[in-house]
Amino acid sequence: MNSSSAPEGAVNVSSTQGRSRVELVERARALQPFLRAQAERGEADRIVPAHVIDKISEAGVFRLLTPKRFGGYETDLRTLTEVSEVLGEADGSAAWTAMIISVTNWLASLFPDKAQEEVFGADLDARVTGVAAPTGVGRRAPGGWVVSGKWSYNSGSPYATWAAVGVLLRDESCAVVDQALVLIPAEELVIEDTWHTVGMKGTASNTLIGREVFVPEHRVLSVRAAAEGTYPRSFRQDEPLYSSMFGSMLLLCLVGPLLGLGKAAFGVVKDAASEKPLSFTVHGRQADSVGVQMQVAEAALHLRTARLHAYDAVDQVDREGASLDYAARTQVRAQAGYAAQQVLAAVNMLLNTHGAGAFADSNPLQRIWRDANVAARHAGLVPTVGYEAYGKALLGIREPVSLMV
């Protein structure tokens, strides 16, 4: 495993527009000063400002995983992770929103070709967001399904043009026949302002509400089938990205912003240690304390461990694609949750090192700490679920814990 942002031997994926991974990551890095300057406003307003979204869009972030035939870059999970890590160094909410839209655009590309054309054909900058939890229901209707439900938490919902939401499909007797994701134009849904949290405030992860919305058959994707790598899109030999395993893609992408938040915390504490005194000690600056030195070293190792696990799993998903078997997928899920916990361990240690000043409103550490603690508790990163699935696989027990593996 290699923790550098451009590991030796890594493939530098390019799009038809000639956008290399290096270029796309550097575009994101160029946004960092702007994102840092806007982060407080996004938190206060509980939404990433529209002009920030525009800048992220101009940098091509929303097109990272969109098919080339629709003007996208069709890169890979590695590129998305590196880009969202870089954005996360500047603003966790902006990074999370960008990552969600980009990966949900990938998800929309798994639907039948007709649905893809509806989403991307007339809108090169389509923005799909979504909620995989099946908190909606669908009943049969001629040519499709009539869907109703409430879906929380839909990150980036105010900027979505489409939504992919989870439903339980029921037959005439109300028996559940499948769990699915359905694509619905954002204008056919209502946003309820429910995202009042201590962290990741700017993601505007509000609740979507749909009442008696007709969804044609071609905008339905079976989650059970997708979990095993079977998608209703037309197979294209030259589009391997859309053969990647469903659960692994949708879970690992969540780690990128967290890696960035960890790196941001480390930078703030490291820079301050050269001048900040260690109160009630003989040390005129924290950097001279052996205790501080040890904590900084341990935090750095936690972050390195997180990156090693995250990028090892990311590279495996990109490398193996559709051939990633169930046992490997359980390991990927476990690594995602483990990496998130390592970031939290590092951030908590760094705030202990910096001291009570970390919690001043003017100090970015308090926002980083809050954002990291909220993001790491996304359902897809709950460590015990991943550990259970992985442990069962290691012991030869094929007893599925979740469809999201």
Side-chain angles (χ1 to χ4, degrees):
M1 296 185 287
N2 192 312
S3 67
S4 67
S5 61
E8 184 178 352
V11 176
N12 196 20
V13 179
S14 297
S15 76
T16 52
Q17 286 76 21
R19 309 303 181 194
S20 69
R21 175 184 298 152
V22 171
E23 179 184 351
L24 291 165
V25 171
E26 287 310 307
R27 283 186 185 182
R29 196 179 308 281
L31 290 175
Q32 286 183 335
F34 175 71
L35 295 182
R36 288 192 183 98
Q38 299 296 316
E40 285 189 22
R41 177 180 169 185
E43 178 162 86
D45 294 345
R46 295 188 301 111
I47 182 173
V48 176
H51 61 282
V52 173
I53 294 295
D54 290 341
K55 289 289 187 182
I56 292 172
S57 180
E58 290 169 12
V61 177
F62 300 144
R63 295 190 190 185
L64 290 178
L65 303 185
T66 303
K68 293 178 183 178
R69 55 196 163 85
F70 293 120
Y73 299 149
E74 199 176 318
T75 60
D76 55 11
L77 183 57
R78 176 96 199 190
T79 303
L80 174 62
T81 306
E82 289 191 21
V83 166
S84 57
E85 178 180 1
V86 167
L87 296 176
E89 288 182 56
D91 180 8
S93 287
W96 190 270
T97 302
M99 173 273 295
I100 287 292
I101 292 174
S102 186
V103 79
T104 317
N105 281 357
W106 171 83
L107 174 63
S109 302
L110 306 182
F111 281 74
D113 296 7
K114 185 176 180 180
Q116 295 177 51
E117 191 68 41
E118 289 175 352
V119 174
F120 301 111
D123 185 1
L124 296 178
D125 293 309
R127 299 167 186 170
V128 188
T129 62
V131 178
T135 53
V137 295
R139 71 173 193 276
R140 262 294 179 194
W145 302 81
V146 174
V147 170
S148 296
K150 295 181 70 171
W151 297 275
S152 303
Y153 306 97
N154 193 57
S155 301
S157 54
Y159 297 117
T161 53
W162 288 78
V165 293
V167 297
L168 296 176
L169 301 180
R170 299 181 181 274
D171 62 17
E172 293 78 3
S173 64
C174 289
V176 175
V177 295
D178 201 359
Q179 178 179 333
L181 281 163
V182 299
L183 277 172
I184 300 175
E187 61 191 18
E188 296 181 19
L189 299 169
V190 174
I191 299 175
E192 183 180 354
D193 184 0
T194 56
W195 186 245
H196 299 269
T197 59
V198 297
M200 284 291 182
K201 292 184 176 183
T203 62
S205 302
N206 292 306
T207 298
L208 295 181
I209 301 175
R211 296 186 178 90
E212 298 289 292
V213 179
F214 177 72
V215 179
E217 195 67 55
H218 66 272
R219 285 201 247 124
V220 177
L221 180 145
S222 168
V223 173
R224 292 172 183 170
E228 296 303 321
T230 300
Y231 309 132
R233 74 190 314 271
S234 295
F235 175 75
R236 291 178 172 83
Q237 191 73 38
D238 62 341
E239 293 185 343
L241 175 63
Y242 309 106
S243 296
S244 298
M245 294 307 298
F246 183 75
S248 299
M249 285 286 291
L250 296 180
L251 296 176
L252 266 179
C253 64
L254 305 172
V255 181
L258 274 163
L259 295 176
L261 286 165
K263 190 171 183 180
F266 186 86
V268 172
V269 173
K270 177 176 177 290
D271 291 345
S274 63
E275 297 180 356
K276 189 175 187 292
L278 188 60
S279 299
F280 303 117
T281 74
V282 298
H283 299 300
R285 58 182 203 148
Q286 290 182 331
D288 296 326
S289 164
V290 173
V292 168
Q293 294 161 8
M294 293 175 67
Q295 288 180 94
V296 167
E298 189 172 352
L301 290 172
H302 278 301
L303 293 176
R304 182 170 173 80
T305 297
R307 295 192 88 248
L308 287 168
H309 275 285
Y311 282 108
D312 173 67
V314 163
D315 289 342
Q316 185 177 12
V317 171
D318 282 338
R319 184 176 59 250
E320 298 189 21
S323 65
L324 196 67
D325 64 22
Y326 180 77
R329 300 197 313 263
T330 64
Q331 178 178 319
V332 164
R333 168 134 193 185
Q335 285 181 289
Y338 186 74
Q341 293 302 305
Q342 291 297 307
V343 172
L344 285 189
V347 170
N348 287 334
M349 183 168 292
L350 289 165
L351 266 75
N352 287 342
T353 303
H354 190 79
F359 296 94
D361 286 342
S362 60
N363 194 321
L365 282 172
Q366 50 81 25
R367 186 176 64 248
I368 293 169
W369 177 72
R370 288 184 287 105
D371 285 351
N373 273 276
V374 171
R377 285 166 175 82
H378 185 284
L381 295 176
V382 174
T384 52
V385 174
Y387 300 164
E388 180 183 355
Y390 185 37
K392 280 180 163 62
L394 289 171
L395 296 171
I397 302 171
R398 182 63 186 264
E399 183 182 298
V401 177
S402 168
L403 289 175
M404 297 297 287
V405 171

